[in-house]
Amino acid sequence: MNIRNANPMVLTDFYKTIHHLAYTPGLEYLVSYWTPRMSRYEYTDKAVVFGMQAFIKEYLIEYFNENFFKKEKSKIVSEYKRLIGSTMTAQAADTEHIEKLHDLGYLPIKIKAVAEGTRVNIKTPVYEISNTVKGYGWLVNYLETFISVNIWHTINSATVAYAYREVVNRFFDKTVSENAVERIDFSEGKTIKSACSEKLPAIRSAACGDFSMRGMTSIESAEKSSAAHLLSFTGTATISAILWLEEFYNCDCTKETVGKGVPSTEHSVMSSYGRDGEYECYRHLIEDVFTTGPLSMVSDTYDYWNVVTSVIPSLKESIMKRDGKIIIRGDSGDPVEIICGTVLNTDDGEKYTPEQLGTVRCLWNEFGGYINDKGYKVLDKHIGVIYGDAITYERACRIYELLDKMGFAASNVTLGIGSYTYQYVTRDSLGQALKATNSIVNGEERRIFKDPVTDKVKGANFKKSQKGMCCVYREGDDVLYKDELTISEVREMKNNLLLEVFCDGRLLIDESLADIRNRLHNNDF
């Protein structure tokens, strides 16, 4: 058996295999809710919903059909008994329930979801899962692990990316302009009326790129996480994330901006010329190879500050003639200090070292730029700065804050967000879990819940579940919920944001990447 085509009924935790025997006798229907129950991110108290549509298409429909319903029942049963019977108990290897599911021919499951791209308050349920055929209540939470491993990370990454975007928006609103500007011509010592060539939303969406692929746990995790990043930005180094979004979110990179990369060098390229050939490396790449368009050049292979203050300035004439931007990339040291320097005020006439000035001011002193109509300096369009090593949310904030205080627009720097941000997390970063809250037993509706008296960590009480049926609703900028409702009460509610997206093996809502981006960013992407 190819493990990549395993029976989906074994893609769960061991203990789930006996729960069909353990539920209260007479269980007919079960309702559970997936909820981000807490935030360990100090900078946000909301979660961005993302990933269910892809999971439904890829796994609940395609994977289940190909690896369960379309396979011979005898093979499904024999392999299940062999695996579970040999590794757990004979009782756990019972297959009657699995055989009945196979005979049914589809997943008798209904999923209601808050629309993807919606930001919900912590503790608000985002998915409702229930069975549609009497007697299959056991299946609802049997799928929990299969669902969890596929969607918690996309929600986390979408949430974190949006938090970065909020920072970008805040400082771009203050320091970046798309209106006419006064450009300073350093060579002639005069100002010339000029205008920005890009619209603000496009500049913002390019402010942060995803550099995390090599640090992720698998190709699949890299694709999904980067796709979540691309809800808020357009830059990524993960090529296959674009394919993933095209496959599951109705977009086409030939007709719209799904994600973009920038031609960039790495240390193996720069060091291949040898230390004595560093100038020739930059000259050759700028003048002979990449004569147009953007080019990002990693610049700390040897002496970063020598590159910034000597090598690059010696090629100024060639750089200024190019139709495109040369982007200087630091890759070691403290990113805040490398970009912004260590001295805030340099207008006192003192002579400062490159390290004290930082990259942005060094390049400004050499290449100049313009003052936008908000009074902030913008580097000449032929030169730029990118930094993608050791960037965190806190450092991103600090970089933008210092640029602001130094009088430079936030658009002077592009930040690369890596695996420390997108991989150094867990399901518990947002406390995500599926919990049963309502049931029908022998025809009687029963509210069920968990409320551990020992759940006192930092007074959070985050493991307490909802009770009964839930309605999710919007109140101003908040997305909240009401629980302890009955099935009939929820049916009567007109404002419930939980909408049917999957039922009995069929996808009911099929949105595009553009739909989700516009919802998340209020049509300003």
Side-chain angles (χ1 to χ4, degrees):
M1 180 188 69
N2 184 344
I3 186 59
R4 298 297 171 222
N5 302 111
N7 173 5
M9 301 308 291
V10 303
L11 300 181
T12 189
D13 296 304
F14 260 123
Y15 70 94
K16 297 277 192 185
T17 62
I18 56 89
H19 289 177
H20 66 291
L21 302 172
Y23 280 111
T24 184
L27 177 69
E28 298 171 356
Y29 295 91
L30 189 69
V31 180
S32 294
Y33 289 93
W34 179 271
T35 307
R37 299 172 296 174
M38 67 176 298
S39 175
R40 297 182 191 273
Y41 303 117
E42 294 182 358
Y43 47 79
T44 187
D45 60 355
K46 293 184 179 181
V48 175
V49 183
F50 181 61
M52 179 56 78
Q53 180 170 300
F55 173 69
I56 289 171
K57 288 183 176 181
E58 185 173 13
Y59 289 107
L60 293 189
I61 295 176
E62 182 179 354
Y63 193 92
F64 254 95
N65 286 340
E66 295 301 318
N67 298 292
F68 187 74
F69 293 115
K70 290 183 180 180
K71 285 194 173 181
E72 293 182 22
K73 183 168 68 173
S74 59
K75 291 183 179 180
I76 291 287
V77 170
S78 62
E79 176 58 22
Y80 186 90
K81 286 183 175 180
R82 183 195 73 82
L83 180 61
I84 304 302
S86 300
T87 56
M88 199 166 174
T89 66
Q91 187 178 28
D94 169 55
T95 61
E96 182 180 356
H97 61 308
I98 291 176
E99 292 179 53
K100 288 182 177 179
L101 177 60
H102 192 278
D103 291 340
L104 187 63
Y106 64 89
L107 278 177
I109 290 293
K110 177 169 63 180
I111 298 177
K112 291 184 176 182
V114 174
E116 301 201 25
T118 301
R119 297 178 67 231
V120 305
N121 293 58
I122 295 300
K123 295 184 181 296
T124 299
V126 297
Y127 304 130
E128 175 190 301
I129 305 172
S130 60
N131 58 301
T132 61
V133 176
K134 182 178 179 179
Y136 284 89
W138 62 269
L139 183 58
V140 174
N141 273 48
Y142 193 98
L143 295 171
E144 176 188 10
T145 309
F146 195 31
I147 294 171
S148 179
V149 74
N150 278 288
I151 66 171
W152 75 260
H153 199 185
T154 53
I155 292 176
N156 271 45
S157 294
T159 299
V160 171
Y162 184 82
Y164 274 86
R165 179 60 184 257
E166 284 188 302
V167 176
V168 167
N169 288 347
R170 183 165 76 249
F171 284 96
F172 272 54
D173 283 344
K174 183 177 181 182
T175 70
V176 180
S177 173
E178 61 184 358
N179 297 322
V181 296
E182 295 290 340
R183 180 170 59 84
I184 299 175
D185 188 329
F186 274 38
S187 62
E188 298 185 20
K190 61 182 180 180
T191 61
I192 304 171
K193 200 72 172 178
S194 183
C196 293
S197 60
E198 293 184 280
K199 295 299 182 182
L200 211 49
I203 304 174
R204 295 181 185 192
S205 65
C208 294
D210 170 35
F211 286 11
S212 67
M213 184 174 185
R214 68 190 59 192
M216 305 303 274
T217 59
S218 67
I219 295 295
E220 291 79 7
S221 66
E223 290 170 346
K224 294 174 183 180
S225 178
S226 187
H229 170 89
L230 291 173
L231 296 189
S232 291
F233 297 102
T234 55
T236 184
T238 309
I239 301 170
S240 57
I242 297 170
L243 296 175
W244 192 85
L245 284 167
E246 288 183 326
E247 177 74 15
F248 301 116
Y249 286 93
N250 303 303
C251 55
D252 183 341
C253 71
T254 67
K255 299 176 181 178
E256 61 192 297
T257 300
V258 177
K260 287 185 175 181
V262 174
S264 307
T265 68
E266 65 177 15
H267 290 294
S268 68
V269 172
M270 311 308 282
S271 62
S272 70
Y273 292 76
R275 186 161 196 154
D276 293 337
E278 188 166 49
Y279 168 81
E280 176 57 21
C281 169
Y282 283 86
R283 188 210 64 76
H284 178 59
L285 294 176
I286 291 170
E287 296 182 354
D288 301 335
V289 183
F290 301 96
T291 57
T292 62
L295 174 63
S296 171
M297 308 180 77
V298 63
S299 302
D300 70 325
T301 304
Y302 303 114
D303 185 341
Y304 178 80
W305 296 113
N306 181 62
V307 170
V308 171
T309 61
S310 178
V311 176
I312 290 299
S314 70
L315 294 166
K316 178 178 178 179
E317 184 177 350
S318 297
I319 291 172
M320 298 298 280
K321 288 180 179 178
R322 291 178 78 256
D323 181 14
K325 180 181 291 187
I326 294 299
I327 307 163
I328 306 304
R329 178 162 74 90
D331 196 42
S332 56
D334 184 322
V336 179
E337 294 182 359
I338 298 298
I339 293 171
C340 302
T342 58
V343 178
L344 184 60
N345 182 14
T346 59
D347 298 328
D348 53 9
E350 295 291 326
K351 183 174 178 60
Y352 292 97
T353 66
E355 292 92 335
Q356 290 174 314
L357 291 173
T359 307
V360 172
R361 282 185 293 203
C362 285
L363 294 178
W364 173 265
N365 290 342
E366 183 61 42
F367 290 89
Y370 61 81
I371 308 296
N372 67 23
D373 67 349
K374 293 184 177 179
Y376 288 87
K377 299 174 183 176
V378 181
L379 288 170
D380 184 273
K381 67 179 181 179
H382 296 92
I383 198 76
V385 180
I386 189 170
Y387 204 101
D389 179 69
I391 295 296
T392 64
Y393 175 85
E394 291 75 18
R395 283 174 172 162
C397 291
R398 185 60 177 159
I399 288 167
Y400 288 133
E401 287 168 358
L402 287 177
L403 287 174
D404 178 10
K405 291 179 180 179
M406 291 158 47
F408 284 88
S411 57
N412 284 296
V413 175
T414 300
L415 300 178
I417 306 173
S419 57
Y420 183 88
T421 292
Y422 285 133
Q423 179 60 43
Y424 199 59
V425 295
T426 73
R427 179 176 64 95
D428 288 329
S429 297
L430 287 172
Q432 298 182 70
L434 184 75
K435 298 302 172 187
T437 67
N438 208 58
S439 64
I440 294 179
V441 180
N442 293 322
E444 176 189 354
E445 184 172 356
R446 296 182 184 177
R447 297 172 183 171
I448 56 179
F449 63 98
K450 63 175 289 188
D451 187 10
V453 296
T454 50
D455 181 27
K456 298 178 180 178
V457 178
K458 296 183 179 180
N461 195 29
F462 81 98
K463 289 202 170 185
K464 180 180 180 180
S465 72
Q466 298 94 7
K467 182 189 297 185
M469 299 295 293
C470 296
C471 174
V472 176
Y473 62 95
R474 184 176 296 280
E475 188 173 277
D477 292 332
D478 294 320
V479 175
L480 308 169
Y481 78 96
K482 178 177 177 57
D483 65 346
E484 299 196 39
L485 301 169
T486 65
I487 294 173
S488 60
E489 286 173 334
V490 168
R491 285 174 180 164
E492 295 299 317
M493 292 189 169
K494 306 298 183 184
N495 62 339
N496 193 355
L497 298 182
L498 288 165
L499 303 177
E500 285 191 28
V501 296
F502 176 82
C503 187
D504 294 342
R506 295 177 295 111
L507 181 69
L508 303 179
I509 296 178
D510 192 6
E511 293 197 300
S512 69
L513 173 63
D515 294 331
I516 297 166
R517 280 174 166 171
N518 287 333
R519 181 178 295 119
L520 179 57
H521 300 284
N522 296 315
N523 297 305
D524 186 29
F525 186 86

